[in-house]
Amino acid sequence: MAVWIQAQQLQGDALHQMQSLYGQHFPIEVRHYLSQWIEGQLWDAIDLENPQEEFKAKRLLDSLIQELQKKAEHQVGEDGFLLKIKLGHYASQLKSTYDRCPLELVRCIKHILYTEQRLVREANNSSSPLGGMIDSMSQKYQQINQAFEELRILTQDTENDLRKLQHNQEYFIIQYQESLRIQAQLTSLATLPPADRQLREPSLLSKRATVEAWLTREANTLQKYRLGLAEKHQKTLALLRKQQTVILDDELIQWKRRQQLAGNGGPPEGGLDILQSWCEKLAETIWQNRQQIRRAEHLRQQLPIPGPIEELLNDLNSTITDIISTLVTSTFIIEKQPPQVLKTQTKFAATVRLLVGGKLNVHMNPPQVKATIISEQQAKALLKNENTRNDSSGEILNNNCVMEYHQTTGTLSAHFRNMSLKRIKRSDRRGAESVTEEKFTILFESQFSVGGNELVFQVKTLSLPVVVIVHGSQDNNATATVLWDNAFAEPGRVPFIVPDKVLWPQLCDALNMKYRAEVQSNRGLSEENLVFLAQKAFSSSSSNPEDYRSMTMTWSQFNRESLPGRNFTFWQWFDGVMELTKKHLKPHWNDGAILGFVNKQQAQDMLMSKPNGTFLLRFSDSEIGGITIAWVAENPNKAGERMVWNLMPYTTKDFSIRSLSDRISDLNHLLFLYPDRPKDEVFSKYYTPPLCKTLILVFVIMFATPNPDPAANPTYMDHAASPAVSHPSNYGIYPAMSDSMLDNDGDFDLDDTMDVARHVEELLRRPMDGQWSGQQS
């Protein structure tokens, strides 16, 4: 069902929230009459941070105006006439508003659609038959909203009390002035004759006594009012601090954790709209209470009455200032993190945002934000409030940016679009630490005032750890450092401490998350895949997953120490598999055609029970980023005996020449994908269609050794004749050409006999005439 249809069914506060999305910047009538068109456009395909996307936004703006004009032209009748005028006016208004900044229109509509979807989703959850099983998130949101309602009531209550106190104090001052007037009259009696004085004095003394008695009582009452108001403010501030703790220390920290895991391929951290709305409510409530406390202090100064109220008001003022300081400094966040593997001399971007900027009117004097790269040690010193002024570990170009206010979304943010790390200053490394294990961070800092310079804030925030590289060859190891940090960092840690070892199941979660994201697949790593990885990581032969549950893996095992008998680490091997799959094997992995995580012995055991021509695809154990084809066929050296053959691993280099599916198509002795699927059924949809029927004469040099024992030699097809096209008696430099390899005209039939492997392709790419002239004679 269309979002707009559901949005119109919202009720109560949700309906009010939806209606508040619209105004002169985007009239609700436009949303209504163009609902289908609006929801059918690819708004998310436009990157708002990329100015080069402006032409796409302009095209959408023009289309929107055309649709409005078209809708206006089709209006008929008396009612249609008025609507025609209104829609035409809106078309002109939108063109005037967004013609020079079409990206703002996209930002506005994306915000509207996102909010409507959220409101509809929340409404559907609450009215669902499963409404009794509201998830914990919905319950938490409900608790937060209830707390805000309680704060609103408390703040309104103290506002009423404050007005009452002010009224009573003003009346007290009037009566106090009256007492002074009476006293002045009594003093003036001294100048009168005794008879006149005796006549008027008793009445004035009586009045003075009455007024002074009233003033004494009223002074005590005012003091009680002041103390009562202060106690209510204490209660309000306690609830405010509690609510702020929930939002900043729970919800915002969880968002930051999701943002960190998203760096490992986890689900997107989600928008900040809900968090911003909560923070803005906090800011509004805090500011209202701060103003109330200041007014109470002004009343106290206007009419000092001895008592504890002065100290209470000082404590309240200190507390409210501390609360708002925490809110402002905590809501200066990085909305879009810089890349965590950062290459020098390469452009990169980041976005910082102040969640309460709009509510506190910070945008009235837009602050500037500065970005600096600092080391891990400098970050530690910064958090300890040690003097780190002007300390940096490198030079970033284009590292200053002014915060911009987007009125349609109410966001205040700074978009660093063209930063570049010009140089980096490295620190002395510890022990076996390599340059790709050294962590830096981007420090963003700014200064601004609120409340007419009443409060001045210096805000700072640190990016997630970044690893600086100078060459693409370092990317692999740098990614390992980032993966480990993102996966196992604990909230509130000292920068940038991570555990040196973790439980194997924890690492499995991180690897699976990364693999799914890199390969962009819903098919993650199965339990069998993870057992294979455990066997590789721990040099174990156990196939029982339970044996690895309590095992730990250290950072050194992960990416410092080479695997036994290899010159690469566990991570380097795994990363090679991801890269190969991402670039060349994604559709086959998604189809389930690649078993992948199977060792050579397992492949042999699986295939020997299957008919000849059955094959499987497994990742190479010996080569980073390689995949090999293993299949079962007759042993050409021993009649009646079968064996498993393995092709030399294919790599990215090979697949850039010819795809996996085409290579499998070329190998005619491959018949069934394990366990029993005909290969064409699995791979034919990926075959490259022939442009024309071409006959190619190919002579292939096959390198082989006459050793009859297959176990003594690697069964790589680059080193042995294919069992599909040769016979054991003809082993030599060239395989004998049987009649079955020739077509009716006696020519070489490529379709029937082509055995494609890397060595063959290298030969085919050489000049034919000079190489083969002597062999063809």
Side-chain angles (χ1 to χ4, degrees):
M1 188 186 296
V3 175
W4 181 242
I5 295 175
Q6 298 178 76
Q8 293 175 75
Q9 298 169 8
L10 294 171
Q11 296 179 354
D13 185 54
L15 178 61
H16 177 72
Q17 287 185 55
M18 187 269 286
Q19 290 171 335
S20 68
L21 294 170
Y22 299 97
Q24 287 189 342
H25 61 281
F26 198 82
I28 196 169
E29 291 88 346
V30 176
R31 177 69 174 100
H32 180 75
Y33 287 104
L34 296 187
S35 60
Q36 191 172 353
W37 183 88
I38 288 172
E39 292 177 35
Q41 306 311 303
L42 300 176
W43 304 103
D44 286 334
I46 296 180
D47 181 4
L48 296 174
E49 313 308 326
N50 185 358
Q52 295 179 357
E53 297 273 77
E54 192 166 298
F55 79 97
K56 293 184 184 176
K58 183 66 166 63
R59 204 160 52 208
L60 278 171
L61 171 62
D62 293 341
S63 298
L64 174 67
I65 292 167
Q66 287 174 10
E67 290 293 323
L68 260 181
Q69 291 170 340
K70 203 184 302 178
K71 182 66 86 172
E73 289 169 4
H74 285 86
Q75 302 306 313
V76 294
E78 186 176 339
D79 294 337
F81 174 72
L82 294 174
L83 183 58
K84 181 176 183 177
I85 293 175
K86 185 177 281 190
L87 293 179
H89 169 70
Y90 290 149
S92 301
Q93 179 181 311
L94 290 172
K95 183 172 179 60
S96 172
T97 304
Y98 297 111
D99 201 41
R100 294 187 178 181
C101 52
L103 284 172
E104 287 303 306
L105 172 72
V106 177
R107 190 189 303 277
C108 170
I109 294 180
K110 285 174 74 170
H111 173 68
I112 287 172
L113 292 175
Y114 171 81
T115 307
E116 285 179 351
Q117 288 165 359
R118 175 178 62 80
L119 292 171
V120 166
R121 188 167 58 249
E122 290 173 357
N124 288 340
N125 287 341
S126 63
S127 61
S128 162
L130 301 176
M133 300 176 65
I134 302 174
D135 60 24
S136 59
M137 183 175 290
S138 297
Q139 286 182 344
K140 181 168 283 189
Y141 286 7
Q142 192 173 10
Q143 290 168 359
I144 289 172
N145 289 332
Q146 286 173 349
F148 273 126
E149 179 60 18
E150 187 177 350
L151 281 167
R152 187 191 66 79
I153 292 170
L154 285 173
T155 303
Q156 186 60 54
D157 187 37
T158 49
E159 177 64 30
N160 294 336
D161 285 358
L162 186 60
R163 288 175 180 171
K164 184 177 179 181
L165 172 63
Q166 183 174 353
H167 173 76
N168 289 351
Q169 182 165 312
E170 287 171 352
Y171 188 67
F172 180 91
I173 291 172
I174 291 171
Q175 293 303 310
Y176 180 73
Q177 292 298 326
E178 176 64 15
S179 74
L180 292 178
R181 189 181 64 79
I182 294 172
Q183 182 61 43
Q185 287 178 341
L186 283 169
T187 303
S188 67
L189 290 179
T191 61
L192 297 178
D196 290 343
R197 185 167 61 242
Q198 288 176 0
L199 182 67
R200 299 176 61 182
E201 189 174 46
S203 172
L204 288 173
L205 289 173
S206 175
K207 275 186 179 182
R208 184 177 71 174
T210 302
V211 170
E212 286 181 350
W214 183 90
L215 287 172
T216 302
R217 288 196 310 273
E218 192 61 19
N220 290 330
T221 302
L222 284 175
Q223 188 73 308
K224 287 179 183 178
Y225 278 166
R226 289 177 176 181
L227 290 172
L229 180 62
E231 288 171 0
K232 285 185 177 182
H233 273 130
Q234 285 179 326
K235 180 181 177 181
T236 302
L237 297 196
L239 183 57
L240 258 176
R241 196 184 284 277
K242 181 181 177 182
Q243 178 82 326
Q244 183 161 289
T245 299
V246 169
I247 292 169
L248 299 184
D249 294 356
D250 293 348
E251 297 300 314
L252 185 57
I253 293 297
Q254 287 177 24
W255 181 88
K256 289 181 177 180
R257 179 59 182 152
R258 291 196 300 272
Q259 186 186 53
Q260 189 170 28
L261 289 176
N264 275 5
E269 60 270 30
L272 286 164
D273 290 351
I274 294 176
L275 272 169
Q276 174 159 320
S277 69
W278 289 340
C279 292
E280 287 180 338
K281 283 182 181 178
L282 278 173
E284 187 175 11
T285 307
I286 292 169
W287 199 257
Q288 286 173 350
N289 280 273
R290 183 175 184 274
Q291 294 303 99
Q292 288 180 10
I293 292 167
R294 287 169 63 85
R295 282 159 57 197
E297 172 63 22
H298 177 71
L299 291 175
R300 187 200 67 79
Q301 292 174 354
Q302 191 180 44
L303 182 64
I305 300 175
I309 190 63
E310 182 177 359
E311 186 177 346
L312 273 173
L313 287 173
N314 287 338
D315 288 344
L316 287 171
N317 194 50
S318 175
T319 300
I320 198 78
T321 301
D322 180 59
I323 290 174
I324 196 170
S325 297
T326 301
L327 177 66
V328 172
T329 55
S330 299
T331 55
F332 182 65
I333 62 171
I334 303 173
E335 182 176 11
K336 180 183 177 184
Q337 290 282 341
Q340 288 188 264
V341 176
L342 192 57
K343 189 178 178 184
T344 56
Q345 310 294 334
T346 303
K347 190 175 83 168
F348 68 96
T351 301
V352 294
R353 180 167 163 181
L354 182 62
L355 297 181
V356 295
K359 187 58 69 174
L360 296 179
N361 292 324
V362 175
H363 59 284
M364 301 303 287
N365 185 19
Q368 188 173 77
V369 184
K370 180 182 178 182
T372 312
I373 189 164
I374 62 174
S375 68
E376 183 174 335
Q377 291 301 321
Q378 289 165 340
K380 288 178 183 176
L382 184 73
L383 293 188
K384 290 179 182 177
N385 291 320
E386 296 176 5
N387 185 18
T388 58
R389 185 170 294 279
N390 298 325
D391 280 355
S392 72
S393 291
E395 181 182 353
I396 298 177
L397 302 178
N398 303 316
N399 67 328
N400 286 285
C401 185
V402 176
M403 299 195 89
E404 299 174 358
Y405 182 66
H406 305 280
Q407 190 168 4
T408 52
T409 57
T411 59
L412 182 70
S413 53
H415 304 283
F416 293 84
R417 295 183 175 91
N418 296 295
M419 287 192 289
S420 176
L421 183 59
K422 183 178 179 181
R423 61 176 183 83
I424 190 68
K425 178 184 175 183
R426 298 193 183 276
S427 57
D428 295 333
R429 290 185 293 281
R430 299 160 293 193
E433 186 180 73
S434 68
V435 294
T436 54
E437 294 178 47
E438 187 178 5
K439 300 172 191 173
F440 297 87
T441 180
I442 309 293
L443 165 66
F444 295 93
E445 51 190 337
S446 183
Q447 178 176 309
F448 50 84
S449 62
V450 299
N453 294 323
E454 286 181 28
L455 297 173
V456 178
F457 295 102
Q458 288 186 334
V459 292
K460 301 178 181 181
T461 188
L462 296 174
S463 75
L464 293 173
V466 299
V467 178
V468 176
I469 63 173
V470 297
H471 192 275
S473 62
Q474 298 173 310
D475 185 83
N476 174 289
N477 292 321
T479 302
T481 301
V482 168
L483 175 82
W484 191 278
D485 192 280
N486 285 346
F488 309 121
E490 296 177 356
R493 62 173 173 173
V494 176
F496 288 107
I497 292 176
V498 285
D500 183 61
K501 62 181 179 180
V502 296
L503 287 169
W504 173 250
Q506 290 178 286
L507 184 58
C508 286
D509 290 342
L511 293 176
N512 190 28
M513 181 183 291
K514 185 71 173 176
Y515 189 87
R516 288 170 66 120
E518 287 295 314
V519 180
Q520 297 177 334
S521 171
N522 290 325
R523 181 191 169 199
L525 300 174
S526 66
E527 188 169 62
E528 291 78 11
N529 299 154
L530 295 173
V531 167
F532 169 87
L533 291 174
Q535 292 171 336
K536 180 176 285 291
F538 301 114
S539 300
S540 169
S541 59
S542 172
S543 58
N544 184 359
E546 295 302 319
D547 292 344
Y548 302 104
R549 298 284 183 208
S550 59
M551 293 184 73
T552 58
M553 191 169 194
T554 66
W555 166 252
S556 292
Q557 288 173 298
F558 183 67
N559 197 43
R560 273 189 188 164
E561 302 165 0
S562 294
L563 292 169
R566 306 295 182 198
N567 62 352
F568 47 79
T569 66
F570 172 84
W571 163 256
Q572 288 166 350
W573 181 88
F574 182 79
D575 186 60
V577 164
M578 283 196 301
E579 282 296 303
L580 181 72
T581 308
K582 176 174 68 173
K583 291 178 179 176
H584 302 288
L585 309 178
K586 190 189 326 184
H588 308 303
W589 173 263
N590 289 337
D591 290 347
I594 297 175
L595 289 179
F597 299 95
V598 177
N599 64 39
K600 198 170 185 178
Q601 185 59 52
Q602 289 172 323
Q604 180 157 328
D605 294 342
M606 293 165 71
L607 290 170
M608 287 301 289
S609 63
K610 298 298 177 182
N612 286 351
T614 303
F615 68 98
L616 59 79
L617 299 159
R618 67 178 189 86
F619 298 123
S620 170
D621 286 312
S622 60
E623 186 163 354
I624 293 179
I627 190 168
T628 188
I629 301 174
W631 77 98
V632 63
E634 295 297 327
N635 182 353
N637 295 323
K638 289 185 180 179
E641 182 179 290
R642 301 195 315 151
M643 63 182 292
V644 173
W645 297 78
N646 292 272
L647 278 181
M648 281 287 283
Y650 293 125
T651 64
T652 289
K653 178 182 175 183
D654 301 305
F655 292 134
S656 64
I657 299 169
R658 191 161 177 79
S659 69
L660 174 66
S661 55
D662 286 342
R663 290 173 183 275
I664 289 172
S665 173
D666 295 336
L667 297 168
N668 294 323
H669 46 278
L670 303 184
L671 304 176
F672 303 101
L673 178 67
Y674 183 89
D676 55 9
R677 297 172 67 189
K679 75 172 182 181
D680 287 344
E681 177 186 300
V682 180
F683 296 101
S684 62
K685 59 185 173 182
Y686 302 111
Y687 293 162
T688 302
L691 299 177
C692 60
K693 187 173 181 180
T694 307
L695 193 63
I696 305 174
L697 181 61
V698 181
F699 287 87
V700 180
I701 297 180
M702 306 297 288
F703 294 88
T705 56
N707 191 326
D709 182 8
N713 293 287
T715 54
Y716 288 135
M717 283 307 296
D718 277 23
H719 299 290
S722 166
V725 297
S726 63
H727 304 284
S729 60
N730 292 326
Y731 246 63
I733 296 298
Y734 312 114
M737 187 174 288
S738 66
D739 290 342
S740 63
M741 296 172 67
L742 303 176
D743 64 13
N744 294 332
D745 297 324
D747 292 322
F748 191 88
D749 192 339
L750 179 64
D751 291 337
D752 289 341
T753 61
M754 186 173 184
D755 184 6
V756 180
R758 185 191 311 149
H759 188 73
V760 176
E761 287 173 336
E762 289 175 354
L763 291 174
L764 288 173
R765 287 199 299 274
R766 297 174 189 169
M768 292 281 291
D769 295 341
Q771 179 162 339
W772 297 101
S773 57
Q775 317 260 349
Q776 291 174 334
S777 57

